[in-house]
Structures are given as structure tokens and as C-alpha cells.
Amino acid sequence: MAAADEHTLLSTEIVNRGIEASGPDAGSPTFSVRVRRRLPDFLQSVNLKYVKLGYRYLISHAIYLATIPVLVVVFSAEVGSLSREELWRKVWEETSYDLVTVLAFSAVLAFTIAVYFMSKPRPIYLVDFACYRPSDEIKVSKEELLELARKSGKFDEESLRFQSRILESSGIGDETYVPKCIFSPGNCATMKEGRAEASAAMFGALDELFDQCRVRPKDIGVLVVNCSLFNPTPSLSAMIVNHYKMRGNILSYNLGGMGCSAGLIALDLARDMLQANPSSYAVVVSAEAVSFTWYTGRNRSMLIPNCFFRMGCSAVLLSNRRRDFRRAKYRLEHIVRTHKGADERSFRSVYQEEDDQRIKGLSISRDLMEVGGHALKANITTLGPLVLPFSEQLLFFATLLYRHLFPKSAGNSAAAAAKPYIPDYKLAFEHFCIHAASKAVLDALQKNLELEDRHMEAARATLHRFGNTSSSSIWYELAYLEAKGRVRSGDRVWQIAFGSGFKCNSAVWKAMRRVRRPTRSPWLDCADRYPVGR
């Protein structure tokens, strides 16, 4: 059974490698058979414990929704049985009041209302966000990238051919950005080059954010920065505090080594800090240093990141101030985090290490698609009860419970014939911002979640125009939706990202108003060219 399950996750592909240039087979066409792991059909095998976790989240926040309607019904039934005159007589004539009773009742009522509002989580608003667009001086096409890599003298011909084949099917276009230092003859992963790259990206995004929000850097009470591979001392968050001369009591945090899903982890941390600090602003900065992901060896699993990772950075302004309700774009509804690090294959699926020549790089495991599918399955199963319409939850939970109580067996034909009900997540969200990792990942996700092309448009456009910008990619996708003028009041946006560890995280936003097309955006001069091939 295990061998059969393993076989279903494998796919084969015959690749034409062209004419053999040398050797005994010179002049003959050569072919190779490529075996790949597919994303598992995670919607067909849902673990009940994740459904329980989602419903536990829902129930813990829904006690008021369960009790208040009952009280309203009981009170309405009692009052509805009385005429207006009878009700007036009971309240004012048949009931005797004294000052102590009135004061006691008023005190209890005021205390109850105060406890309710104090215990209620503060709404977290997204005032605005900005995405860094690098200078056109460092824009490269796929051909230019390979040519510059060849001229750098760091790669042999076999490594260049491998990267060329990956780029052809990557889904990345010819206008992405890479730092110049990676093509220099020496080592590009130096502290000087890393600081220069990080400074340009972070300060570029933050300058735009502060300008368009009309907020001073000294007004920021919480700062969270995430960058996976470049973690200098002093930290990147300290660099920002120093550059903008922020106040001395700012709560600053720096997250490192947490992969492409770290942006939503940073968002979760900022939310917790805002819940504990009333009337505050928080800034979340998500960046990655491409010079520290660049690998110059011959290990193919480490050459893959060279083909996908590109420069990018996002800066997000959050607020818990009630007066920001009117100008905020979105309100944070849910964050769901899933960590599969206890599993050894998941833990090593994206792993930074040295190769046989002691050249450092980021190794991508062949198990990545399968590992990512299981993490995604756990995450969306937990998220489902929080966001799906009641009708979808009822059908999904009923079929899942039936399959759990009556597992498939040879003697139970009815149970064997029952297929799991796949929830329609298109009913829960109007917009999808799925981490733009690669074309293969996006294709597999679209198939498994049964999404339409329009739901994947933002992710595919971001991958084509900017490449995989790591944890900031979901914000480039939201910027694309805004540049197209598609976000309307009440729309729900699902951001989902996955990364090393292995982690899968989701955030759900609700639009507070119709978002007009921004005057400053990385998509201003190119949004009309997408989707590609329309």
C-alpha cells in the first residue's frame, strides 16, 4: 500500500537534450527521463485533528454569538406577550425602585460592558503598504542572467545548461532584478554587499510607506523585520531604527532563517504586540538578500534558487487606533500558522549547507512538493471552519465524520463509494495571494484547490514580472490587485505562504472600502500587460 501511494506521487517526463556535441555519440540526438514528485492530492486525505483545531479556534471566539441570540429571543418572547400599557405599568408602576438598587444595577451594567470591551481583541487595521521596485539598472532578462553568469567565470557549462533549462519552465519573465555583486569575480556574500542590498530595498520601501501614509518614523511603536539568510550584527531592525532615528522605547524584533513564509509570522508577532500596546502603530518589513542565496557550485539542488529568487521588499503599516478605521484599507480577520518541523523530511526540505567543495548554498529537496502539500493540507483544513460558509462547513464536516466513523473496507461498499466533499474556497474569498514560488507550484495548487485562472492571475503576474521575492511576494500580488482596481468594500483576501522548516501560514483580510488605484505602485507602468497572453 505504501509503495502504491509513493508511486502516485511520481510523474515522468521525457526531455530532449539536443544533439550530443562530443564523445562516441557525437551528432546523435539525446534524451533523458526526468522523474518528479507531484503535489499530493491533499484535499482527498484530510486529517480530522486539523478540523478539530479549526473548530476550537472558532468556538473560542464565538461564545457571544451563541449566547446573545438566545437572550434576545427569550427577552423578545417575554416582552412580546405584553401590550404597551402592560409593559409600561410593569416597569414604572408595579416595580418599586430605590437609589441603592438603581446605583447597584448601573454599576453592574457598567462593569459588564467594560469587561466585554476590555476583553475583546482590538481590531488590527492595515493602513497601507509599499513594495520596493529596484532601479532599471539592475533589471535583467533570462538570457542576460545566464550570459552574466557565464562571464563571471563561476559556473561550468553543465551548470549553466541546467540553470537554462530551469529558467525556461520557471514562469519568470525578462524584467526581474538581481544585485550586480553576484556577477563579480570574487565572493558576493560579504557583509558589505549584504548591507548595501538590504539597505536599498528596506529604505526604498519604508520611504514610500511613510510618505504615502503621512506618518513620522518616530510615531512607530512596534517594528518587526524578517530576512531569512542575511542576519548581521547589529540587526536589520537596528539598521532601520538608526537610519530613521526612531524613538528609544520602540519594540523592535528581527526574524531570521524562517523562509518565504516569514512575512506572515512577522505579521502575527506585530498583531500580538498591538494587542498588548493600545493606540500604536506597527511596521512589518519583509526582505531577502539575493546575494546570500546565490550559489556558485555544481550541486544541482543548490543551483535551483539561483533561477527563482530575485530582489524585492515590502513594508506594511498596521494600526490598532480606532480613529484609523476610516482611512485603513483592510482589517485583519485571521492568521493560521502550521509548522511541520517535527518531521525530518519536512525539516530538511529547504536546507542551507555547504557542498563537497565547501561552497555554501540553499539545498532544495526532491521531497519539497510532497512536504509542501502536507503542510498546506493541514493549514487550509484548520482555516476552513473560520472562513467557509456554514453550508460548506456542514457538507465538509458531515462527509469527513462519516469517513472517520466508517472507514473504507472491502465489506462496506457504501463507505467505499463515498467520496470526500471538497470545500469550495472560492466561496470564502474574492482574492487569492498565493506565494509565487514557481510555475510548477502554482500549477499544482490551482489544480488541487480547483481555482480558476483569474484567482491565480496575481501570483502568476508577480512571478513573471518580479520573480520569487520570498516573503514579500504576497504583497506584490496584493499591489497587483489594487493596480487593477479589483478590490472592493467587503472583499476578503487570502494570503498564503510557505517556506523552510517546513511552514505554511495564512492571513485573511477584509477590505474596509473600495481601494482606488494607487498613484504609487510597482505595477504602475506594467499592470496593463498582464495577464500574459490574454
Side-chain angles (χ1 to χ4, degrees):
M1 183 64 179
D5 291 342
E6 179 73 12
H7 179 72
T8 60
L9 296 177
L10 300 178
S11 63
T12 58
E13 178 184 2
I14 299 177
V15 181
N16 185 352
R17 304 189 65 175
I19 305 298
E20 186 69 26
S22 59
D25 298 324
S28 301
T30 59
F31 300 87
S32 63
V33 178
R34 181 181 299 165
V35 181
R36 291 178 173 176
R37 285 183 177 271
R38 295 198 301 262
L39 191 69
D41 195 1
F42 46 83
L43 288 176
Q44 300 292 330
S45 57
V46 178
N47 197 324
L48 189 60
K49 70 178 182 180
Y50 298 116
V51 180
K52 292 178 180 177
L53 182 60
Y55 277 102
R56 191 178 303 129
Y57 287 164
L58 181 65
I59 292 172
S60 64
H61 296 290
I63 187 170
Y64 296 111
L65 297 178
T67 56
I68 291 177
V70 175
L71 295 176
V72 170
V73 169
V74 172
F75 180 76
S76 300
E78 178 67 22
V79 174
S81 63
L82 300 174
S83 64
R84 183 180 301 178
E85 292 77 10
E86 292 174 331
L87 180 62
W88 182 265
R89 186 167 55 254
K90 279 183 173 293
V91 173
W92 295 106
E93 297 179 5
E94 297 182 6
T95 306
S96 59
Y97 298 97
D98 57 70
L99 183 60
V100 176
T101 303
V102 172
L103 291 177
F105 175 79
S106 300
V108 170
L109 180 62
F111 177 77
T112 303
I113 294 175
V115 169
Y116 170 75
F117 281 103
M118 291 176 64
S119 61
K120 183 180 179 181
R122 294 183 179 88
I124 304 301
Y125 301 113
L126 192 161
V127 179
D128 211 338
F129 66 97
C131 296
Y132 171 63
R133 177 166 168 171
S135 167
D136 286 346
E137 295 178 357
I138 56 176
K139 182 190 294 185
V140 296
S141 66
K142 294 191 289 290
E143 290 184 2
E144 289 172 339
L145 181 73
L146 290 171
E147 185 60 29
L148 289 170
R150 178 178 283 107
K151 290 180 179 179
S152 70
K154 297 178 180 179
F155 302 96
D156 60 12
E157 285 301 317
E158 183 61 29
S159 297
L160 289 169
R161 283 196 295 270
F162 173 76
Q163 292 179 85
S164 176
R165 291 196 299 271
I166 295 294
L167 281 169
E168 287 177 5
S169 59
S170 64
I172 293 177
D174 292 323
E175 294 182 297
T176 58
Y177 305 90
V178 295
K180 290 183 178 179
C181 65
I182 65 175
F183 302 115
S184 61
N187 177 26
C188 66
T190 64
M191 299 304 292
K192 180 180 179 181
E193 296 293 350
R195 283 193 172 96
E197 180 185 349
S199 298
M202 294 190 306
F203 300 158
L206 285 168
D207 285 346
E208 182 178 333
L209 180 70
F210 291 143
D211 182 59
Q212 64 191 23
C213 293
R214 300 185 301 277
V215 172
R216 300 177 305 165
K218 287 185 178 294
D219 295 332
I220 307 302
V222 179
L223 173 65
V224 185
V225 180
N226 70 271
C227 183
S228 188
L229 295 181
F230 180 56
N231 295 283
T233 301
S235 65
L236 297 178
S237 59
M239 289 171 56
I240 293 175
V241 172
N242 174 263
H243 179 79
Y244 290 101
K245 309 305 177 188
M246 292 179 166
R247 64 197 199 193
N249 63 343
I250 188 172
L251 302 175
S252 63
Y253 302 89
N254 203 95
L255 306 181
M258 306 196 79
C260 299
S261 67
L264 295 183
I265 298 173
L267 180 68
D268 191 26
L269 176 58
R271 179 188 65 171
D272 291 344
M273 291 299 101
L274 288 176
Q275 292 294 349
N277 296 273
S279 192
S280 298
Y281 284 122
V283 167
V284 176
V285 179
S286 299
E288 192 55 83
V290 176
S291 55
F292 277 71
T293 67
W294 193 254
Y295 171 71
T296 57
R298 301 182 180 182
N299 189 320
R300 291 191 173 187
S301 67
M302 294 182 174
L303 286 169
I304 294 175
N306 290 359
C307 304
F308 291 99
F309 285 110
R310 298 292 186 268
M311 285 185 69
C313 179
S314 64
V316 181
L317 179 65
L318 304 174
S319 172
N320 59 7
R321 303 185 179 194
R322 299 193 184 276
R323 58 174 167 267
D324 286 323
F325 170 84
R326 294 188 178 278
R327 70 165 181 155
K329 287 185 174 181
Y330 307 93
R331 183 179 68 234
L332 182 60
E333 298 289 303
H334 306 287
I335 294 180
V336 174
R337 293 169 53 182
T338 302
H339 204 309
K340 289 289 188 177
D343 175 66
E344 191 65 24
R345 285 200 310 160
S346 300
F347 176 71
R348 298 188 67 89
S349 60
V350 181
Y351 202 80
Q352 188 180 24
E353 58 185 350
E354 292 87 9
D355 63 8
D356 296 337
Q357 275 67 50
R358 302 187 65 81
I359 301 176
K360 187 183 297 184
L362 198 62
S363 176
I364 307 299
S365 167
R366 293 178 180 272
D367 298 327
L368 181 61
M369 292 287 280
E370 181 183 354
V371 163
H374 291 307
L376 186 61
K377 174 186 69 176
N379 187 267
I380 66 173
T381 307
T382 305
L383 180 67
L386 301 175
V387 298
L388 288 170
F390 182 73
S391 58
E392 289 292 303
Q393 294 188 46
L394 187 62
L395 289 170
F396 172 65
F397 189 72
T399 55
L400 183 65
L401 189 62
Y402 182 80
R403 290 167 57 85
H404 181 73
L405 296 177
F406 304 100
K408 292 182 179 181
S409 62
N412 191 347
S413 59
K419 294 182 179 180
Y421 178 75
I422 301 174
D424 188 357
Y425 282 85
K426 298 186 293 293
L427 298 177
F429 308 106
E430 283 73 34
H431 307 289
F432 295 77
C433 297
I434 302 172
H435 170 50
S438 69
K439 181 179 182 296
V441 170
L442 295 179
D443 288 343
L445 287 173
Q446 180 175 6
K447 178 181 178 182
N448 277 271
L449 289 175
E450 299 181 353
L451 300 178
E452 301 173 9
D453 290 342
R454 61 186 178 91
H455 298 127
M456 304 297 297
E457 183 182 325
R460 295 189 188 279
T462 297
L463 179 65
H464 186 272
R465 178 62 181 85
F466 294 99
N468 182 345
T469 61
S470 190
S471 56
S472 64
S473 67
I474 54 177
W475 296 105
Y476 283 85
E477 294 171 29
L478 186 56
Y480 174 83
L481 294 171
E482 292 187 355
K484 287 285 191 177
R486 295 179 181 171
V487 182
R488 302 178 184 276
S489 178
D491 282 2
R492 295 153 298 179
V493 181
W494 182 18
Q495 291 181 320
I496 184 164
F498 30 88
S500 61
F502 194 86
K503 299 178 287 292
C504 180
N505 304 313
S506 292
V508 178
W509 300 91
K510 185 174 182 179
M512 305 293 294
R513 53 183 170 84
R514 180 174 182 176
V515 180
R516 297 179 179 177
R517 295 186 181 183
T519 56
R520 302 175 67 174
S521 169
W523 296 95
L524 276 185
D525 64 343
C526 56
D528 293 337
R529 303 204 304 262
Y530 292 91
V532 176
R534 60 179 177 179

